[in-house]
Short mmCIF file of all heavy atoms in Angstrom, two decimals:
data_model
loop_
_atom_site.label_atom_id
_atom_site.label_comp_id
_atom_site.label_asym_id
_atom_site.label_seq_id
_atom_site.Cartn_x
_atom_site.Cartn_y
_atom_site.Cartn_z
N LYS A 347 -81.16 -33.30 7.57
CA LYS A 347 -80.75 -32.11 6.83
C LYS A 347 -81.84 -31.08 6.82
O LYS A 347 -81.60 -29.86 6.99
CB LYS A 347 -80.39 -32.54 5.37
CG LYS A 347 -79.81 -31.41 4.56
CD LYS A 347 -79.57 -31.86 3.13
CE LYS A 347 -78.49 -32.93 3.04
NZ LYS A 347 -78.23 -33.34 1.66
N SER A 348 -83.07 -31.56 6.58
CA SER A 348 -84.21 -30.61 6.58
C SER A 348 -84.39 -29.96 7.95
O SER A 348 -84.63 -28.75 8.03
CB SER A 348 -85.49 -31.38 6.20
OG SER A 348 -86.61 -30.53 6.22
N GLU A 349 -84.26 -30.77 9.01
CA GLU A 349 -84.38 -30.22 10.34
C GLU A 349 -83.29 -29.21 10.65
O GLU A 349 -83.50 -28.20 11.30
CB GLU A 349 -84.39 -31.36 11.40
CG GLU A 349 -85.62 -32.24 11.35
CD GLU A 349 -85.53 -33.42 12.26
OE1 GLU A 349 -84.44 -33.64 12.83
OE2 GLU A 349 -86.54 -34.13 12.41
N SER A 350 -82.07 -29.50 10.12
CA SER A 350 -80.95 -28.62 10.34
C SER A 350 -81.17 -27.28 9.65
O SER A 350 -80.96 -26.21 10.23
CB SER A 350 -79.64 -29.23 9.83
OG SER A 350 -78.59 -28.33 9.91
N VAL A 351 -81.65 -27.34 8.41
CA VAL A 351 -81.95 -26.13 7.64
C VAL A 351 -83.07 -25.35 8.34
O VAL A 351 -83.00 -24.14 8.51
CB VAL A 351 -82.33 -26.49 6.19
CG1 VAL A 351 -82.92 -25.27 5.49
CG2 VAL A 351 -81.12 -27.00 5.44
N SER A 352 -84.12 -26.08 8.73
CA SER A 352 -85.26 -25.42 9.39
C SER A 352 -84.85 -24.71 10.65
O SER A 352 -85.32 -23.61 10.97
CB SER A 352 -86.34 -26.44 9.70
OG SER A 352 -86.84 -27.03 8.48
N SER A 353 -83.96 -25.35 11.44
CA SER A 353 -83.52 -24.72 12.68
C SER A 353 -82.73 -23.48 12.45
O SER A 353 -82.79 -22.52 13.21
CB SER A 353 -82.69 -25.73 13.50
OG SER A 353 -81.48 -26.05 12.82
N LEU A 354 -81.95 -23.45 11.36
CA LEU A 354 -81.16 -22.26 11.02
C LEU A 354 -82.03 -21.12 10.58
O LEU A 354 -81.78 -19.97 10.94
CB LEU A 354 -80.11 -22.65 9.92
CG LEU A 354 -78.94 -23.51 10.39
CD1 LEU A 354 -78.11 -23.93 9.18
CD2 LEU A 354 -78.06 -22.78 11.39
N VAL A 355 -82.99 -21.40 9.72
CA VAL A 355 -83.80 -20.31 9.16
C VAL A 355 -84.78 -19.74 10.20
O VAL A 355 -85.31 -18.64 10.03
CB VAL A 355 -84.56 -20.74 7.87
CG1 VAL A 355 -83.61 -21.22 6.82
CG2 VAL A 355 -85.58 -21.84 8.20
N ARG A 356 -85.02 -20.51 11.26
CA ARG A 356 -85.92 -20.02 12.31
C ARG A 356 -85.37 -18.80 13.04
O ARG A 356 -86.09 -18.10 13.74
CB ARG A 356 -86.24 -21.15 13.31
CG ARG A 356 -87.38 -22.07 12.89
CD ARG A 356 -87.94 -22.84 14.06
NE ARG A 356 -86.94 -23.76 14.64
CZ ARG A 356 -86.81 -25.03 14.29
NH1 ARG A 356 -87.60 -25.53 13.33
NH2 ARG A 356 -85.92 -25.78 14.85
N ASN A 357 -84.08 -18.59 12.89
CA ASN A 357 -83.45 -17.43 13.56
C ASN A 357 -83.81 -16.12 12.90
O ASN A 357 -83.55 -15.04 13.45
CB ASN A 357 -81.90 -17.62 13.56
CG ASN A 357 -81.45 -18.78 14.38
OD1 ASN A 357 -82.07 -19.09 15.39
ND2 ASN A 357 -80.40 -19.46 13.93
N TYR A 358 -84.39 -16.20 11.67
CA TYR A 358 -84.73 -14.99 10.95
C TYR A 358 -86.18 -14.62 11.18
O TYR A 358 -87.07 -15.49 11.22
CB TYR A 358 -84.47 -15.20 9.44
CG TYR A 358 -83.01 -15.39 9.09
CD1 TYR A 358 -82.48 -16.67 8.98
CD2 TYR A 358 -82.19 -14.29 8.85
CE1 TYR A 358 -81.15 -16.85 8.61
CE2 TYR A 358 -80.87 -14.47 8.52
CZ TYR A 358 -80.36 -15.76 8.40
OH TYR A 358 -79.03 -15.94 8.10
N GLU A 359 -86.42 -13.32 11.26
CA GLU A 359 -87.80 -12.85 11.42
C GLU A 359 -88.55 -12.89 10.07
O GLU A 359 -89.74 -13.13 10.03
CB GLU A 359 -87.81 -11.42 11.96
CG GLU A 359 -87.24 -11.30 13.38
CD GLU A 359 -87.02 -9.86 13.81
OE1 GLU A 359 -88.04 -9.25 14.22
OE2 GLU A 359 -85.91 -9.35 13.71
N TYR A 360 -87.81 -12.63 8.99
CA TYR A 360 -88.39 -12.69 7.64
C TYR A 360 -87.60 -13.68 6.80
O TYR A 360 -86.36 -13.66 6.80
CB TYR A 360 -88.39 -11.32 6.97
CG TYR A 360 -89.57 -10.45 7.30
CD1 TYR A 360 -89.37 -9.21 7.88
CD2 TYR A 360 -90.87 -10.85 7.01
CE1 TYR A 360 -90.46 -8.39 8.18
CE2 TYR A 360 -91.95 -10.05 7.33
CZ TYR A 360 -91.75 -8.81 7.91
OH TYR A 360 -92.78 -8.01 8.22
N ILE A 361 -88.30 -14.54 6.08
CA ILE A 361 -87.72 -15.36 5.02
C ILE A 361 -88.37 -14.88 3.75
O ILE A 361 -89.60 -15.03 3.58
CB ILE A 361 -87.97 -16.84 5.25
CG1 ILE A 361 -87.36 -17.29 6.57
CG2 ILE A 361 -87.39 -17.67 4.11
CD1 ILE A 361 -87.69 -18.72 6.96
N ALA A 362 -87.61 -14.28 2.88
CA ALA A 362 -88.19 -13.56 1.73
C ALA A 362 -87.82 -14.26 0.40
O ALA A 362 -86.68 -14.75 0.23
CB ALA A 362 -87.71 -12.13 1.71
N LEU A 363 -88.79 -14.30 -0.50
CA LEU A 363 -88.56 -14.70 -1.88
C LEU A 363 -88.59 -13.43 -2.72
O LEU A 363 -89.51 -12.62 -2.60
CB LEU A 363 -89.64 -15.65 -2.35
CG LEU A 363 -89.75 -17.04 -1.75
CD1 LEU A 363 -90.86 -17.83 -2.45
CD2 LEU A 363 -88.45 -17.79 -1.86
N VAL A 364 -87.58 -13.27 -3.58
CA VAL A 364 -87.53 -12.14 -4.51
C VAL A 364 -87.37 -12.70 -5.93
O VAL A 364 -86.32 -13.22 -6.26
CB VAL A 364 -86.35 -11.18 -4.18
CG1 VAL A 364 -86.29 -10.06 -5.19
CG2 VAL A 364 -86.54 -10.63 -2.77
N PHE A 365 -88.46 -12.65 -6.71
CA PHE A 365 -88.49 -13.24 -8.02
C PHE A 365 -88.47 -12.21 -9.13
O PHE A 365 -89.38 -11.36 -9.22
CB PHE A 365 -89.74 -14.16 -8.15
CG PHE A 365 -89.64 -15.47 -7.45
CD1 PHE A 365 -88.54 -15.82 -6.73
CD2 PHE A 365 -90.71 -16.38 -7.55
CE1 PHE A 365 -88.47 -17.07 -6.08
CE2 PHE A 365 -90.64 -17.61 -6.91
CZ PHE A 365 -89.52 -17.94 -6.18
N GLN A 366 -87.51 -12.31 -10.01
CA GLN A 366 -87.36 -11.41 -11.13
C GLN A 366 -88.33 -11.79 -12.26
O GLN A 366 -88.85 -12.92 -12.30
CB GLN A 366 -85.90 -11.51 -11.63
CG GLN A 366 -85.46 -10.44 -12.58
CD GLN A 366 -84.02 -10.63 -13.02
OE1 GLN A 366 -83.72 -11.54 -13.78
NE2 GLN A 366 -83.11 -9.80 -12.54
N GLY A 367 -88.56 -10.89 -13.19
CA GLY A 367 -89.35 -11.19 -14.38
C GLY A 367 -88.51 -11.88 -15.43
O GLY A 367 -87.30 -11.73 -15.44
N GLY A 368 -89.17 -12.62 -16.31
CA GLY A 368 -88.42 -13.32 -17.35
C GLY A 368 -89.25 -14.30 -18.16
O GLY A 368 -88.70 -15.20 -18.82
N GLY A 369 -90.58 -14.15 -18.17
CA GLY A 369 -91.42 -14.92 -19.05
C GLY A 369 -91.24 -16.42 -18.87
O GLY A 369 -91.33 -16.96 -17.78
N ALA A 370 -90.98 -17.14 -19.97
CA ALA A 370 -90.90 -18.59 -19.98
C ALA A 370 -89.80 -19.13 -19.10
O ALA A 370 -89.81 -20.31 -18.72
CB ALA A 370 -90.71 -19.09 -21.40
N LEU A 371 -88.83 -18.29 -18.75
CA LEU A 371 -87.74 -18.74 -17.85
C LEU A 371 -88.23 -18.92 -16.40
O LEU A 371 -87.51 -19.45 -15.59
CB LEU A 371 -86.61 -17.70 -17.88
CG LEU A 371 -85.93 -17.42 -19.23
CD1 LEU A 371 -84.96 -16.26 -19.09
CD2 LEU A 371 -85.21 -18.65 -19.72
N GLY A 372 -89.43 -18.47 -16.12
CA GLY A 372 -89.95 -18.46 -14.74
C GLY A 372 -90.08 -19.81 -14.10
O GLY A 372 -90.15 -19.88 -12.86
N SER A 373 -90.10 -20.89 -14.86
CA SER A 373 -90.21 -22.21 -14.24
C SER A 373 -88.93 -22.53 -13.45
O SER A 373 -88.94 -23.41 -12.55
CB SER A 373 -90.47 -23.30 -15.28
OG SER A 373 -89.46 -23.35 -16.26
N TYR A 374 -87.82 -21.85 -13.71
CA TYR A 374 -86.62 -21.96 -12.90
C TYR A 374 -86.94 -21.56 -11.45
O TYR A 374 -86.51 -22.23 -10.52
CB TYR A 374 -85.52 -21.05 -13.46
CG TYR A 374 -84.24 -21.00 -12.64
CD1 TYR A 374 -83.26 -21.98 -12.76
CD2 TYR A 374 -84.02 -19.95 -11.76
CE1 TYR A 374 -82.08 -21.91 -12.01
CE2 TYR A 374 -82.85 -19.88 -11.02
CZ TYR A 374 -81.90 -20.85 -11.15
OH TYR A 374 -80.74 -20.78 -10.39
N GLN A 375 -87.72 -20.49 -11.28
CA GLN A 375 -88.12 -20.05 -9.93
C GLN A 375 -88.98 -21.10 -9.25
O GLN A 375 -88.86 -21.34 -8.04
CB GLN A 375 -88.84 -18.73 -10.02
CG GLN A 375 -88.00 -17.59 -10.56
CD GLN A 375 -88.79 -16.32 -10.88
OE1 GLN A 375 -89.99 -16.41 -11.10
NE2 GLN A 375 -88.11 -15.20 -10.94
N ALA A 376 -89.86 -21.74 -10.03
CA ALA A 376 -90.71 -22.80 -9.45
C ALA A 376 -89.87 -23.94 -8.94
O ALA A 376 -90.15 -24.53 -7.90
CB ALA A 376 -91.73 -23.26 -10.48
N GLY A 377 -88.80 -24.29 -9.67
CA GLY A 377 -87.91 -25.35 -9.24
C GLY A 377 -87.19 -25.00 -7.96
O GLY A 377 -87.01 -25.80 -7.07
N VAL A 378 -86.77 -23.72 -7.88
CA VAL A 378 -86.08 -23.24 -6.66
C VAL A 378 -87.04 -23.37 -5.47
O VAL A 378 -86.68 -23.87 -4.41
CB VAL A 378 -85.67 -21.77 -6.82
CG1 VAL A 378 -85.26 -21.17 -5.45
CG2 VAL A 378 -84.54 -21.66 -7.80
N PHE A 379 -88.30 -22.98 -5.66
CA PHE A 379 -89.25 -23.05 -4.56
C PHE A 379 -89.54 -24.48 -4.16
O PHE A 379 -89.70 -24.78 -2.97
CB PHE A 379 -90.57 -22.36 -4.92
CG PHE A 379 -91.58 -22.46 -3.79
CD1 PHE A 379 -91.43 -21.67 -2.66
CD2 PHE A 379 -92.62 -23.37 -3.83
CE1 PHE A 379 -92.31 -21.77 -1.59
CE2 PHE A 379 -93.48 -23.48 -2.77
CZ PHE A 379 -93.35 -22.67 -1.65
N GLU A 380 -89.55 -25.42 -5.10
CA GLU A 380 -89.76 -26.82 -4.74
C GLU A 380 -88.68 -27.30 -3.82
O GLU A 380 -88.95 -28.02 -2.83
CB GLU A 380 -89.81 -27.70 -6.00
CG GLU A 380 -90.07 -29.16 -5.67
CD GLU A 380 -90.16 -30.08 -6.87
OE1 GLU A 380 -89.91 -29.61 -8.01
OE2 GLU A 380 -90.49 -31.26 -6.70
N ALA A 381 -87.42 -26.91 -4.05
CA ALA A 381 -86.32 -27.31 -3.19
C ALA A 381 -86.47 -26.69 -1.82
O ALA A 381 -86.21 -27.36 -0.79
CB ALA A 381 -84.97 -26.90 -3.81
N LEU A 382 -86.91 -25.45 -1.73
CA LEU A 382 -87.13 -24.80 -0.45
C LEU A 382 -88.25 -25.51 0.31
O LEU A 382 -88.14 -25.68 1.53
CB LEU A 382 -87.50 -23.31 -0.65
CG LEU A 382 -86.48 -22.45 -1.35
CD1 LEU A 382 -86.95 -20.98 -1.38
CD2 LEU A 382 -85.10 -22.53 -0.72
N SER A 383 -89.29 -25.90 -0.40
CA SER A 383 -90.40 -26.60 0.24
C SER A 383 -89.96 -27.94 0.77
O SER A 383 -90.35 -28.37 1.87
CB SER A 383 -91.54 -26.78 -0.81
OG SER A 383 -92.63 -27.42 -0.24
N GLU A 384 -89.13 -28.64 0.00
CA GLU A 384 -88.54 -29.93 0.44
C GLU A 384 -87.81 -29.77 1.77
O GLU A 384 -87.86 -30.66 2.63
CB GLU A 384 -87.55 -30.47 -0.59
CG GLU A 384 -88.17 -31.03 -1.84
CD GLU A 384 -87.12 -31.49 -2.83
OE1 GLU A 384 -85.93 -31.15 -2.63
OE2 GLU A 384 -87.47 -32.14 -3.81
N ALA A 385 -87.12 -28.65 1.91
CA ALA A 385 -86.32 -28.40 3.12
C ALA A 385 -87.12 -27.84 4.27
O ALA A 385 -86.57 -27.54 5.34
CB ALA A 385 -85.15 -27.46 2.78
N GLY A 386 -88.41 -27.67 4.07
CA GLY A 386 -89.28 -27.15 5.12
C GLY A 386 -89.19 -25.66 5.33
O GLY A 386 -89.52 -25.14 6.39
N ILE A 387 -88.72 -24.95 4.30
CA ILE A 387 -88.58 -23.48 4.39
C ILE A 387 -89.85 -22.85 3.89
O ILE A 387 -90.26 -23.03 2.74
CB ILE A 387 -87.38 -22.98 3.58
CG1 ILE A 387 -86.08 -23.57 4.14
CG2 ILE A 387 -87.32 -21.45 3.56
CD1 ILE A 387 -84.85 -23.22 3.32
N GLU A 388 -90.50 -22.10 4.76
CA GLU A 388 -91.75 -21.41 4.38
C GLU A 388 -91.54 -19.90 4.41
O GLU A 388 -91.41 -19.31 5.49
CB GLU A 388 -92.89 -21.80 5.32
CG GLU A 388 -93.32 -23.24 5.19
CD GLU A 388 -94.58 -23.53 6.01
OE1 GLU A 388 -95.28 -22.57 6.43
OE2 GLU A 388 -94.87 -24.73 6.23
N PRO A 389 -91.49 -19.24 3.25
CA PRO A 389 -91.29 -17.79 3.22
C PRO A 389 -92.50 -17.05 3.80
O PRO A 389 -93.65 -17.49 3.69
CB PRO A 389 -91.11 -17.49 1.74
CG PRO A 389 -91.84 -18.58 1.04
CD PRO A 389 -91.67 -19.80 1.92
N ASN A 390 -92.23 -15.89 4.44
CA ASN A 390 -93.35 -15.09 4.92
C ASN A 390 -93.36 -13.69 4.30
O ASN A 390 -94.15 -12.83 4.69
CB ASN A 390 -93.29 -14.98 6.46
CG ASN A 390 -91.94 -14.50 6.99
OD1 ASN A 390 -91.09 -14.09 6.23
ND2 ASN A 390 -91.79 -14.60 8.28
N TRP A 391 -92.46 -13.44 3.34
CA TRP A 391 -92.54 -12.24 2.50
C TRP A 391 -92.14 -12.64 1.11
O TRP A 391 -91.03 -13.09 0.85
CB TRP A 391 -91.62 -11.14 3.04
CG TRP A 391 -91.89 -9.78 2.40
CD1 TRP A 391 -92.61 -9.52 1.28
CD2 TRP A 391 -91.45 -8.52 2.91
NE1 TRP A 391 -92.64 -8.19 1.03
CE2 TRP A 391 -91.93 -7.53 1.99
CE3 TRP A 391 -90.67 -8.11 3.98
CZ2 TRP A 391 -91.66 -6.16 2.15
CZ3 TRP A 391 -90.41 -6.74 4.13
CH2 TRP A 391 -90.90 -5.78 3.24
N MET A 392 -93.07 -12.45 0.16
CA MET A 392 -92.83 -12.82 -1.22
C MET A 392 -93.00 -11.60 -2.12
O MET A 392 -93.98 -10.86 -1.97
CB MET A 392 -93.79 -13.92 -1.65
CG MET A 392 -93.49 -15.25 -0.99
SD MET A 392 -94.97 -16.26 -0.64
CE MET A 392 -95.53 -15.55 0.91
N SER A 393 -92.02 -11.37 -2.97
CA SER A 393 -92.02 -10.20 -3.83
C SER A 393 -91.62 -10.60 -5.24
O SER A 393 -90.71 -11.40 -5.44
CB SER A 393 -91.06 -9.14 -3.28
OG SER A 393 -91.11 -7.95 -4.02
N GLY A 394 -92.32 -10.06 -6.23
CA GLY A 394 -92.03 -10.44 -7.59
C GLY A 394 -92.45 -9.41 -8.62
O GLY A 394 -93.23 -8.49 -8.34
#
C-alpha cells in the first residue's frame, strides 16, 4: 500500500502541506503528518 501511494505521488512535482492556524487543535495536523510519513510521502513545499 505504501509503495502504491508512493508511486502515485511521484507523478507530482510538488507535494504540499497547507496547515491552518488553530492553537491547541494543531495536534490534529501532527496526526495527519504521521499518517503521510507512514505512507512514505515526503512533502517538498510546506506552508502554515
